[in-house]
Amino acid sequence: MNLLHFRLAAAACAMSLLFTSAVTAQQQDGDKVDLGALTQIKNEAFQHSQVMENLFYISEVYGPRITSSRNHRAAAEWAMQQLKTWGLQNVHLEKWGPFGDGWQIKKYYGALESPAYASLIGFPLAWTPGTNGPVTAEAVLAPLHSEADFAKYKGKLKGKIVLIFDPRELAMHTEAEAHRLTDAEIEERAKTPDPSRMGFGPRPGAAPAPLPGEFTPMTLTTAAPSGRILRNKVNAFLKEEGVAVALTPGYNGDGGTVFASFGGSQDPKDPVGPPMAAITPEQYNRICRLLQHGITPKLTFDIETEYQKDDEMGFNVVGEIPGTSKADEVVMVGGHFDSWQGGTGATDNGTGSAVAMEAVRVLATLHKPMARTVRVALWGGEEEGLYGSLAYVQQHFAPRDTMKKTPEYDKLDVYFNDDSGSGKFRAVSALGNAQMAAIFQSWIAPIKDLGIDGVVGLTAGPTLQPGGTDSTSFSYIGLNGIGFMQDPLEYGTRTHHSNMDLYDRVQKGDVMQGALIEAWFAYNAATRAEMLPRIDTPAPLAK
Ligand SMILES: [Zn+2]
């Protein structure tokens, strides 16, 4: 999930939650579920779980997985082999694009040399070049708040290591970083205080989005086209000025955790800037303070990165358990497989990918006949703008140019997405469909002991634009793209797009619960008599 949409997506999920009193009325419209199947699914998912083993390979062996990088391709080969081993059919890579270059870090070394030595915790920004060996140079503080600042520093930055943002205000950590939602919080998030403001929109207390043209650490990291345009301008300017290395303090976090992603662009037509790295804000602020005291520190960076031009096309990994009597009707589970470069992409989105793989492994292992086909999709290009899932819905359901429904459109039953970190599933969205809410309630009733409370999204507006995560690529064109409300744990405070996005931050019990619920939901959707109800066909689709 890209950051701007991370907050918006949370807002989009926050709709009315049904509690016990309303539930009884709803259950009437719910399903009579197969508890025998549930017991078998639970047994396989909890007694023979492979979800952490999947995650080990996805993150520790093949992480990080920047879209179209060699790590991403190797991870895809491994995943396809696993799916085949579990008996899935039609396992293949589905290409889309062109996307552009893959990119990977080969080496990172950063240090303060004088007035005293200190190694600098950090990593290079995505799609930025290396230093061609070690570079030692003076530091300069040259905050670029907007294009207007370029003139101020013209001719003053050649061969320097440039701090391009203001020092960051840091606060003491008084709150626990990990958080589990309380029932009261879920209830609060579920309310619809103002039905005139449904759909996407900033949540109360959310960090203000950068103003148009404003250059902040947040702008540097956004996938929005405006961010890319500004990044290109800044990169062209810094390159022209002959900057040796550009530094940022990251856009979030501290205490050794560095949050950062984009620096340049995957598009070979876009300008390539100087080497760029994000370092911890504490160390960034130290360099600023030295400069503000008239002391010019010397820094050394030795960075090696690789632009990988193996194949400009992006890809999604797809595989399925063929249905029986209604095999042309499809139930999908999935999440994005690509990640950013700071850690190993364990919680973003190694967990969502491992959970989806585990859900189909459980169902394939049980060999229980399912009328509809169950398909798993591991998307590429999500972090850069949902490219993989958007391409998929255009290739299969509504081509962008005509926006006309294809025959497959009416056969896609539902897509279940997981992309909010390691946390257990606490609620599921009904996308504003009361019938769907009742059906989901009846699926949840026998598994409430696992900590999933209910259904959100009973009152919901249409998805006005794809954004935040891959389920919106489906709901944007009127398909059931369903997400789960998860316990935030340390997602926003520690792991999301950071150097601490690592295996040990994943909670085993939580992802086991997620895999069980995704398998159970897919099983119910693939075996129930009718397909799930749908919301009305939204505006973007040609009538
Ligand atoms: Zn994500």
Side-chain angles (χ1 to χ4, degrees):
M1 185 184 287
N2 37 56
L3 184 72
L4 194 55
H5 298 123
F6 172 59
R7 298 199 169 106
L8 297 177
C13 276
M15 299 296 165
S16 60
L17 182 64
L18 295 175
F19 275 92
T20 320
S21 57
V23 172
T24 39
Q26 296 290 350
Q27 265 161 351
Q28 285 152 3
D29 302 324
D31 288 356
K32 184 156 182 12
V33 293
D34 177 347
L35 296 178
L38 174 60
T39 305
Q40 288 178 287
I41 291 172
K42 233 187 224 178
N43 183 47
E44 183 56 38
F46 289 168
Q47 309 311 324
H48 310 287
S49 175
Q50 293 184 20
V51 68
M52 289 304 280
E53 196 56 14
N54 300 337
L55 183 69
F56 165 76
Y57 282 95
I58 292 170
S59 60
E60 311 253 89
V61 178
Y62 298 112
R65 301 168 306 286
I66 286 246
T67 296
S68 288
S69 64
R70 289 199 192 113
N71 278 5
H72 184 204
R73 289 176 196 286
E77 291 304 326
W78 167 83
M80 289 195 288
Q81 198 43 55
Q82 282 298 94
L83 296 175
K84 288 174 189 162
T85 308
W86 297 331
L88 274 80
Q89 307 296 310
N90 192 17
V91 175
H92 63 286
L93 281 187
E94 239 170 76
K95 293 215 171 179
W96 50 269
F99 169 75
D101 298 337
W103 180 91
Q104 243 166 249
I105 303 169
K106 292 294 182 180
K107 181 180 184 180
Y108 167 79
Y109 171 84
L112 175 70
E113 299 290 354
S114 68
Y117 180 85
S119 78
L120 298 173
I121 300 169
F123 55 86
L125 300 183
W127 288 288
T128 59
T131 55
N132 296 323
V135 169
T136 300
E138 290 182 344
V140 170
L141 177 58
L144 304 172
H145 304 98
S146 71
E147 250 183 292
D149 285 334
F150 292 3
K152 204 178 351 179
Y153 298 110
K154 206 158 182 43
K156 299 176 184 152
L157 306 177
K158 191 169 180 52
K160 305 288 186 188
I161 296 179
V162 182
L163 286 73
I164 60 173
F165 293 114
D166 294 310
R168 275 187 40 210
E169 283 293 318
L170 303 181
M172 191 165 64
H173 297 191
T174 52
E175 311 262 318
E177 274 167 7
H179 184 62
R180 288 197 181 281
L181 297 170
T182 63
D183 288 348
E185 278 177 314
I186 294 179
E187 195 157 326
E188 190 49 39
R189 282 188 187 201
K191 293 207 176 84
T192 316
D194 179 356
S196 71
R197 284 175 51 75
M198 287 195 284
F200 281 107
R203 268 177 72 81
L211 297 168
E214 188 188 9
F215 191 52
T216 71
M218 184 74 87
T219 313
L220 198 54
T221 197
T222 178
S226 59
R228 181 174 172 175
I229 293 163
L230 201 51
R231 267 197 305 276
N232 287 346
K233 285 181 180 158
V234 169
N235 277 320
F237 168 71
L238 294 173
K239 185 75 180 176
E240 211 175 287
E241 292 302 307
V243 165
V245 180
L247 293 184
T248 99
Y251 64 81
N252 185 15
D254 52 33
T257 301
V258 180
F259 290 73
S261 58
F262 276 113
S265 166
Q266 72 272 10
D267 185 339
K269 295 190 296 303
D270 284 342
V272 174
M276 267 190 188
I279 61 174
T280 68
E282 292 88 345
Q283 295 176 313
Y284 188 95
N285 290 354
R286 176 184 180 183
I287 299 165
C288 294
R289 281 187 290 269
L290 286 165
L291 287 162
Q292 286 153 352
H293 283 72
I295 301 168
T296 303
K298 278 219 162 132
L299 310 175
T300 296
F301 284 89
D302 187 358
I303 296 172
E304 202 185 319
T305 67
E306 196 178 34
Y307 288 73
Q308 298 173 337
K309 301 179 180 294
D310 308 37
D311 183 345
E312 64 173 7
M313 296 299 286
F315 57 86
N316 300 322
V317 174
V318 179
E320 57 194 35
I321 304 168
T324 53
S325 56
K326 298 173 179 159
D328 61 340
E329 293 177 8
V330 177
V331 170
M332 293 184 73
V333 297
H336 72 88
F337 206 39
D338 64 299
S339 80
W340 282 118
Q341 75 283 14
T344 62
T347 71
D348 193 13
N349 188 28
T351 43
S353 300
V355 160
M357 288 181 71
E358 177 70 356
V360 292
R361 181 196 70 77
V362 167
L363 294 175
T365 305
L366 293 175
H367 294 292
K368 291 180 75 63
M370 297 182 289
R372 298 184 181 87
T373 293
V374 174
R375 184 179 297 162
V376 62
L378 305 176
W379 313 110
E382 190 274 351
E383 294 293 4
E384 294 78 20
L386 311 186
Y387 291 143
S389 59
L390 278 174
Y392 188 88
V393 298
Q394 284 156 15
Q395 281 162 7
H396 289 267
F397 310 122
R400 179 187 283 274
D401 50 357
T402 64
M403 287 306 263
K404 270 203 167 54
K405 296 178 191 177
T406 66
E408 278 186 83
Y409 183 95
D410 292 330
K411 297 296 183 182
L412 188 281
D413 187 8
V414 62
Y415 164 63
F416 294 112
N417 188 57
D418 173 350
D419 182 20
S420 292
S422 165
K424 68 172 65 164
F425 295 1
R426 300 301 305 277
V428 61
S429 171
L431 286 182
N433 188 308
Q435 290 167 289
M436 188 131 76
I439 293 164
F440 286 166
Q441 276 297 358
S442 65
W443 298 358
I444 285 171
I447 57 170
K448 279 205 167 216
D449 64 308
L450 296 172
I452 185 162
D453 296 291
V455 178
V456 295
L458 192 61
T459 307
T463 300
L464 305 173
Q465 62 190 43
T469 189
D470 298 296
S471 48
T472 63
S473 298
F474 288 74
S475 55
Y476 173 61
I477 61 165
L479 295 171
N480 290 331
I482 304 288
F484 294 91
M485 183 189 277
Q486 296 172 244
D487 275 336
L489 302 184
E490 304 163 312
Y491 195 51
T493 53
R494 175 69 84 169
T495 64
H496 182 249
H497 300 179
S498 84
N499 58 341
M500 283 301 120
D501 190 2
L502 303 170
Y503 182 94
D504 286 309
R505 312 289 355 141
V506 173
Q507 305 310 311
K508 181 175 182 179
D510 287 61
V511 285
M512 286 172 69
Q513 183 251 29
L516 179 272
I517 293 175
E518 246 182 49
W520 173 235
F521 270 48
Y523 178 80
N524 288 325
T527 55
R528 70 190 302 276
E530 290 96 37
M531 286 174 68
L532 288 168
R534 279 234 185 120
I535 51 177
D536 296 344
T537 305
L541 271 190
K543 293 288 176 265

